[in-house]
Amino acid sequence: MSAPEDEEGLLPLTQRWPRASKFLLSGCAATVAELATFPLDLIKTRLQMQGEAALARLGDSAREATPYRGMVRTALGIVQEEGFLKLWQGVTPAIYRHVVYSGGRMVTYEHLREVVFGKSEDKHYPLWKSVIGGMMAGVVGQFLANPTDLVKVQMQMEGKRKLEGKPLRFRGVHHAFAKILAEGGIRGLWAGWVPNIQRAALVNMGDLTTYDTVKHYLVLNTPLEDNIMTHGLSSLCSGLVASILGTPADVIKSRIMNQPRDKEGRRF
């Protein structure tokens, strides 16, 4: 008769260490997704930055100083002026960020759903629990990932600074971390964390909540089964809702993170 330790050793890794497995799988999936969608994130950041108050103070000349008008023209402008590969400038800290953020939020959400809140008797996860769990998971994941998000935003703007004749701030990812830490200390790595976690809470509320709700509705009220089609439709709906809810806080977060510092480490 085999011992319990031997039986446990025969189990798949996902069953022996479920939380660690979900963290690693979420991180791997996030890395692939980030590489595929990063140019869109870069374009989004460039569009968010060009409306800053510094440009608004230029008055009528601000229109001439605004090079980006729309997603497609922004992408073409970056390729023509900076090069095709610059569409992935800042992708390394973005990958770091998604590994920490996606892994942290999924593990937190799973723990809240399975242990803290629990499902109802019909195995359904109530909407109010999805809302609270999604927001809490987003807050935890984004707070942990804030330093990598900060570096990502600042590195995404390096190409624009070069075109404007401004000196580049960073030589690479590790230099960016070291410089931000030297100028602002540990607190400097969490610049913009308040709107960042607000954005994450809103995004996850829309993302995880909509995903669970739509999937449950489709399985119960349509001929669709719990398959890839159902997951795909649920993901489309959740992504749309999450983007609408999170964009205002995302604009604020990006502008705070890109603010320069004086010699004393204060933002201006």
Side-chain angles (χ1 to χ4, degrees), residues 23-251:
F23 183 93
L24 292 174
L25 290 173
S26 297
C28 292
T31 299
V32 175
E34 186 63 32
L35 288 172
T37 62
F38 186 80
L40 296 175
D41 188 58
L42 174 67
I43 293 167
K44 176 205 70 176
T45 302
R46 294 286 182 91
L47 288 170
Q48 288 174 341
M49 294 300 182
Q50 70 177 0
E52 289 178 301
L55 282 177
R57 286 197 297 269
L58 295 176
D60 294 337
S61 61
R63 296 181 180 178
E64 299 177 0
T66 303
Y68 305 130
R69 299 182 185 279
M71 183 182 74
V72 176
R73 294 181 64 179
T74 300
L76 292 175
I78 294 173
V79 172
Q80 293 172 355
E81 298 171 0
E82 304 173 38
F84 178 75
L85 292 180
K86 291 299 182 179
L87 288 172
W88 280 269
Q89 180 159 353
V91 71
T92 301
I95 292 175
Y96 293 165
R97 182 251 179 195
H98 264 284
V99 169
V100 176
Y101 171 69
S102 297
R105 74 161 185 161
M106 289 306 299
V107 170
T108 302
Y109 186 71
E110 290 286 337
H111 179 76
L112 291 172
R113 185 174 67 178
E114 302 295 336
V115 179
V116 178
F117 294 130
K119 296 183 178 181
S120 59
E121 294 181 358
D122 63 350
K123 302 299 181 181
H124 174 53
Y125 197 50
L127 178 61
W128 70 271
K129 291 183 179 180
S130 295
V131 172
I132 297 176
M135 293 181 71
M136 292 177 65
V139 167
V140 172
Q142 189 57 70
F143 183 80
L144 294 174
N146 196 83
T148 55
D149 209 5
L150 173 67
V151 172
K152 181 201 75 170
V153 169
Q154 295 201 9
M155 290 192 68
Q156 285 177 329
M157 296 305 296
E158 289 296 272
K160 187 171 183 290
R161 288 176 61 87
K162 185 176 181 180
L163 290 176
E164 294 173 348
K166 299 178 182 178
L168 298 181
R169 295 172 291 185
F170 314 118
R171 296 191 299 270
V173 178
H174 299 102
H175 178 247
F177 276 110
K179 185 175 181 180
I180 293 172
L181 185 62
E183 293 178 350
I186 294 294
R187 292 180 59 185
L189 291 172
W190 270 267
W193 71 272
V194 174
N196 211 7
I197 66 171
Q198 290 174 343
R199 169 193 173 274
L202 292 170
V203 166
N204 279 274
M205 180 183 69
D207 187 0
L208 299 175
T209 302
T210 304
Y211 181 85
D212 274 350
T213 304
V214 172
K215 186 179 75 171
H216 186 72
Y217 176 84
L218 291 175
V219 171
L220 291 181
N221 299 281
T222 69
L224 293 175
E225 299 179 355
D226 191 358
N227 52 28
I228 189 171
M229 177 64 71
T230 303
H231 288 278
L233 292 174
S234 302
S235 297
L236 288 174
C237 294
S238 65
L240 176 61
V241 173
S243 298
I244 293 173
L245 291 176
T247 295
D250 191 42
V251 174

